[in-house]
Amino acid sequence: MTCDEAEILLHALIDGELDAGNTRAVEDHIAGCPRCAAQLRDYREMSKMIAGADVRYKAPLELRRRIEASLPKPAQVPSRRAVLRGFAMGSAVSALAATGLVAIVLRSDDEARIQSEVVSAHLRSLQAGHLTDVISTDQHTVKPWFNGKLDFSPPVYDFAGRGFPLLGGRLDYVGSRPVAALVYGRRQHLINVFLWPPPSTGGSSAGVATTTRQGYHLLHWATPAYAYWVVSDLGLPELRDFTGLLRQADSTAASAK
């Protein structure tokens, strides 16, 4: 194992996401490589610091002042009771605003974490022997392979006629839960499609969110049934074409039920 290969897997090693074979390979490499061993120590120290940090968000006092200043001013001098009632209302509004800000911050952090895990899972799949658990271009072979391995039955489509052949599928882990990973090809490029049922608060998203991490394009959207993450180094226009095919097939299948 080279240093570049080991560096890709260090985070997965710390999080306990590697299988026994890869864990042994990385540990053997670290035992003989001072550079990677030092990097692993740095990563572990960073993880301890983050875990021990107080990341709770407290809304600033200035936010409360701005909200209270925006409330309608009484036309006459208020009574003491009215003042107290208004103060209580302002405090409640401030608390709600703070709660909303915390929710936004947490949601943003959660999405960034999933983006990182999806890219890591994609990189792991590029290692020899990790791309697929079931190798087949037949969707009727890949789909039943997941039976009994997941608590849901992922939809599987083949787009070979449109230049995106199905190559197979595998089990993977994102967000500390098992997910379905479907693999497609486009010339020399590989496309990983990760999907799993969204949380009960998830809902659906009409648009596709696009971002780039570590040189890989990520496209994400949600339906009432599944959260989708597509990742590849394929050019963004072609990857959007593939995403359009997948979303159309999903929509057609949902309409047929």
Side-chain angles (χ1 to χ4, degrees), residues 223-247:
T223 70
Y226 298 103
Y228 282 91
W229 287 85
V230 175
V231 56
S232 177
D233 62 351
L234 181 67
L236 194 53
E238 288 184 290
L239 198 58
R240 284 182 172 138
D241 290 342
F242 169 78
T243 297
L245 293 174
L246 184 56
R247 282 164 61 83

Side-chain angles (χ1 to χ4, degrees), residues 4-239:
D4 289 340
E5 292 171 336
E7 185 174 356
I8 292 174
L9 300 176
L10 286 180
H11 289 290
L13 176 66
I14 294 173
D15 295 336
E17 297 176 350
L18 292 182
D19 56 37
N22 272 304
T23 297
R24 185 166 52 252
V26 175
E27 290 177 343
D28 289 345
H29 174 81
I30 291 172
C33 178
R35 173 177 171 271
C36 290
Q39 193 166 25
L40 179 60
R41 287 194 298 272
D42 290 343
Y43 286 159
R44 282 176 170 160
E45 286 300 319
M46 187 182 301
S47 295
K48 290 179 182 178
M49 291 174 61
I50 293 174
D54 184 2
V55 296
R56 292 177 297 176
Y57 182 83
K58 182 178 181 180
L61 180 60
E62 182 59 29
L63 173 63
R64 174 178 170 176
R65 289 172 177 167
R66 290 201 305 269
I67 293 174
E68 292 176 345
S70 67
L71 296 175
K73 300 296 188 297
Q76 58 185 11
V77 179
S79 65
R80 185 167 179 266
R81 178 177 297 178
V83 170
L84 292 175
R85 186 165 56 245
F87 181 80
M89 180 179 296
S91 299
V93 171
S94 298
L96 288 173
T99 301
L101 287 174
V102 171
I104 291 172
V105 171
L106 292 178
R107 187 161 57 245
S108 177
D109 288 348
D110 188 56
E111 183 159 319
R113 177 181 56 80
I114 291 178
Q115 288 176 1
S116 179
E117 291 189 20
V118 165
V119 171
S120 295
H122 178 72
L123 290 173
R124 288 198 303 272
S125 75
L126 302 181
Q127 301 296 313
H130 289 271
L131 184 62
T132 54
D133 292 330
V134 53
I135 303 174
S136 178
T137 58
D138 184 357
Q139 64 199 75
H140 301 295
T141 298
V142 175
K143 181 177 177 63
W145 180 85
F146 287 102
N147 291 346
K149 299 178 177 68
L150 294 168
D151 57 359
F152 62 97
S153 179
V156 182
Y157 312 105
D158 180 29
F159 305 115
R162 303 296 295 273
F164 298 94
L166 174 68
L167 302 181
R170 71 178 184 281
L171 290 178
D172 218 312
Y173 286 84
V174 175
S176 301
R177 70 153 294 154
V179 304
L182 305 175
V183 185
Y184 293 83
R186 178 69 165 178
R187 299 188 300 277
Q188 302 302 314
H189 301 274
L190 294 171
I191 304 171
N192 266 299
V193 178
F194 300 94
L195 67 151
W196 62 88
S200 57
T201 56
S204 62
S205 172
V208 177
T210 303
T211 188
T212 301
R213 291 178 71 99
Q214 298 178 235
Y216 294 93
H217 299 302
L218 291 91
L219 284 76
H220 165 59
W221 70 97
T223 70
Y226 298 103
Y228 282 91
W229 287 85
V230 175
V231 56
S232 177
D233 62 351
L234 181 67
L236 194 53
E238 288 184 290
L239 198 58

